[in-house]
Amino acid sequence: MNDNKLDAAKVTIQQAVDSRDEQLRGLAALIHANPELSFHEHKAQQWLMAPLEEAGFAVEKGIAGLETSFRATWEGTEGGPTLALLAEYDALPAIGHACGHNLIGTAAVGAALALKDAYPELPGKIVVLGTPAEEEGGGKIIMCNEGVFDDIDAVMMVHPQSKTMVLRGALACVDATFTFHGRQAHAASAPEKGISALDAMINAFVAINSIRQFVKEDVRIHGIITKGGDAPNVVPELCEAVFILRAATVVELETVREKVYNAVRHAAEGVGATVDIAEGLIYAERNNNKAMAALFRSNLEQMGIEVCDPPKKGGIGSSDIGNVGQVTATIHPYIRIGDATTHTPEFCQLAGSEAGMIEMNQAAKAMAMTVYDLCTDKESIRAVRNEFEQWKQQSSGGQVHG
């Protein structure tokens, strides 16, 4: 296919997105105005599924045992790859869609609809996966464990941000709840009969802080006290803290976990208390597919969007998309929405603004154009798959599918 035909094809895709722009804006605004927390995204799930069903996608609700997940599939002609567009749609407590998931979910749906509108005979299978609970619960990790991504050749999603990037890392992480058990007693008349769960917890915080000097500089350990006792004149018998531990890789995270958990256990033992450690799902580090990211970057630049290099150091968090990248070729690019940072009220406002709607439109176009590349250019999909298979062979230990 020569460049003129390729350019014309992508113009057609962009026009197909624009023809649905009003519909997509309404959908993104509706989800933004009705934020739902992780595992409770019932309205958003239905609203995102509806236009896909109407367009003839085969829609399954509640896959991988997750009530608010979905899978919508459309197959053009045989012989092409199976590609997935990921929709996120959960919100944050108190500050709503301060991570812009209303835009992420809508952009994925918009890209899929535009491709089917423009090229109903596209060689390949397009899957929109509704992935709940990114903010709290690791929905994609559960879906990885259930094999949802095993037969997919490549995966992509787009996140709103303060700058446009196609490659950005993310730390491996895990959350842990420490529940300290002591013995209740009157703090004034019979303190000798008590064992303070609060002292155990305070000792644990001090012990964890002493570890910070002896871990790598990219390690992050942050926690809060969620229960510190009921009354100052009662020796607390139960206290609780929640921490998130992060490291560059799952392998390095294992070292951090061992150090922190040992410190917490010894802190409890030191005052005669005990501690239960409840660990959440392990979020893997991000494995960006550079070949696919290059295609995405080219499409952004064809649209006149300037792409920035990612920060060389720091400035990254964690996401369950990292686990998907351990299973198949994956990208998680960003498109600028404004100057605000994620997880702030200011970013929530941006996610429902005109700037957010423009970003959503751009994200849908770039994804649809990149899917088109992968479906119509066998060299492109071969390069993407070869890179992933080589990474898989070269990587050793510590790879997790959940």
Side-chain angles (χ1 to χ4, degrees):
M1 183 175 292
N2 63 47
D3 289 343
N4 290 334
K5 288 183 179 179
L6 184 63
D7 290 345
K10 291 185 177 179
V11 168
T12 301
I13 289 171
Q14 293 184 41
Q15 290 172 341
V17 173
D18 286 337
S19 71
R20 287 187 176 267
D21 190 61
E22 184 177 351
Q23 177 190 25
L24 298 175
R25 282 170 173 258
L27 180 55
L30 188 61
I31 296 172
H32 185 270
N34 295 271
E36 298 169 293
L37 300 182
S38 298
F39 297 119
H40 298 281
E41 316 94 323
H42 298 283
K43 293 178 181 177
Q45 177 201 45
Q46 291 298 328
W47 291 332
L48 290 168
M49 287 168 50
L52 293 165
E53 287 181 308
E54 186 179 344
F57 282 70
V59 179
E60 306 164 73
K61 181 180 177 181
I63 63 171
L66 299 174
E67 188 177 351
T68 53
S69 67
F70 70 86
R71 176 167 48 208
T73 306
W74 155 60
E75 190 162 7
T77 56
E78 294 182 357
T82 300
L83 307 175
L85 304 173
L86 303 192
E88 295 178 353
Y89 35 91
D90 60 328
L92 289 156
I95 53 175
H97 279 288
C99 208
H101 290 191
N102 62 308
L103 303 174
I104 295 173
T106 306
V109 169
L113 291 172
L115 281 165
K116 191 172 189 296
D117 290 344
Y119 294 104
E121 302 300 316
L122 188 72
K125 181 186 291 185
I126 310 304
V127 182
V128 180
L129 285 173
T131 61
E134 189 275 336
E135 296 293 355
E136 183 67 35
K140 296 183 195 66
I141 302 175
I142 296 169
M143 294 171 83
C144 285
N145 290 342
E146 294 297 319
V148 171
F149 296 95
D150 289 354
D151 297 325
I152 295 174
D153 295 306
V155 171
M156 68 185 78
M157 61 173 284
V158 180
H159 202 297
Q161 249 292 354
S162 56
K163 63 180 180 179
T164 300
M165 302 173 286
V166 296
L167 291 171
R168 190 190 187 205
L171 298 171
C173 88
V174 68
D175 64 89
T177 299
F178 305 134
T179 304
F180 298 87
H181 302 276
R183 185 187 307 130
Q184 194 176 87
H186 195 291
S189 64
E192 73 281 0
K193 295 180 180 179
I195 296 175
S196 176
L198 179 59
D199 283 340
M201 181 164 63
I202 291 172
N203 288 349
F205 270 81
V206 172
I208 289 170
N209 283 336
S210 72
I211 291 172
R212 298 182 194 278
Q213 182 182 352
F214 304 102
V215 294
K216 291 185 175 181
E217 62 178 9
D218 54 10
V219 169
R220 299 288 183 269
I221 307 170
H222 37 100
I224 60 169
I225 295 172
T226 53
K227 183 174 177 59
D230 297 315
N233 60 347
V234 177
V235 176
E237 67 175 346
L238 188 146
C239 289
E240 189 175 85
V242 178
F243 273 77
I244 297 177
L245 317 179
R246 306 182 198 258
T249 67
V250 169
V251 173
E252 293 179 17
L253 181 62
E254 174 59 32
T255 300
V256 177
R257 290 160 66 209
E258 183 178 359
K259 287 183 177 181
V260 170
Y261 296 169
N262 282 339
V264 169
R265 291 188 183 101
H266 290 309
E269 290 171 5
V271 297
T274 60
V275 61
D276 296 327
I277 300 176
E279 191 175 66
L281 296 172
I282 296 175
Y283 287 59
E285 68 273 16
R286 196 168 295 177
N287 174 32
N288 293 305
N289 188 279
K290 294 180 177 60
M292 186 162 38
L295 291 174
F296 198 91
R297 178 170 189 150
S298 174
N299 286 317
L300 287 174
E301 290 173 343
Q302 285 184 48
M303 293 163 57
I305 299 173
E306 182 181 356
V307 180
C308 302
D309 291 328
K312 293 183 179 179
K313 189 176 180 181
I316 55 177
S318 307
S319 171
D320 54 7
I321 193 70
N323 297 69
V324 180
Q326 313 294 313
V327 178
T328 190
T330 303
I331 59 171
H332 184 287
Y334 299 82
I335 296 182
R336 174 178 166 79
I337 187 176
D339 294 327
T341 57
T342 56
H343 291 214
T344 63
E346 293 78 13
F347 199 89
C348 181
Q349 186 176 5
L350 277 175
S353 71
E354 176 65 16
M357 300 305 159
I358 292 171
E359 182 276 344
M360 178 267 298
N361 178 284
Q362 293 171 335
K365 287 175 179 175
M367 278 194 288
M369 291 160 67
T370 305
V371 168
Y372 181 85
D373 288 333
L374 295 172
C375 287
T376 58
D377 183 357
K378 291 185 178 180
E379 287 302 315
S380 291
I381 187 61
R382 186 176 295 118
V384 167
R385 289 304 306 172
N386 284 347
E387 179 183 330
F388 177 76
E389 295 300 333
Q390 288 172 10
W391 170 85
K392 201 172 173 183
Q393 290 176 5
Q394 293 168 2
S395 60
S396 59
Q399 301 307 321
V400 295
H401 291 189

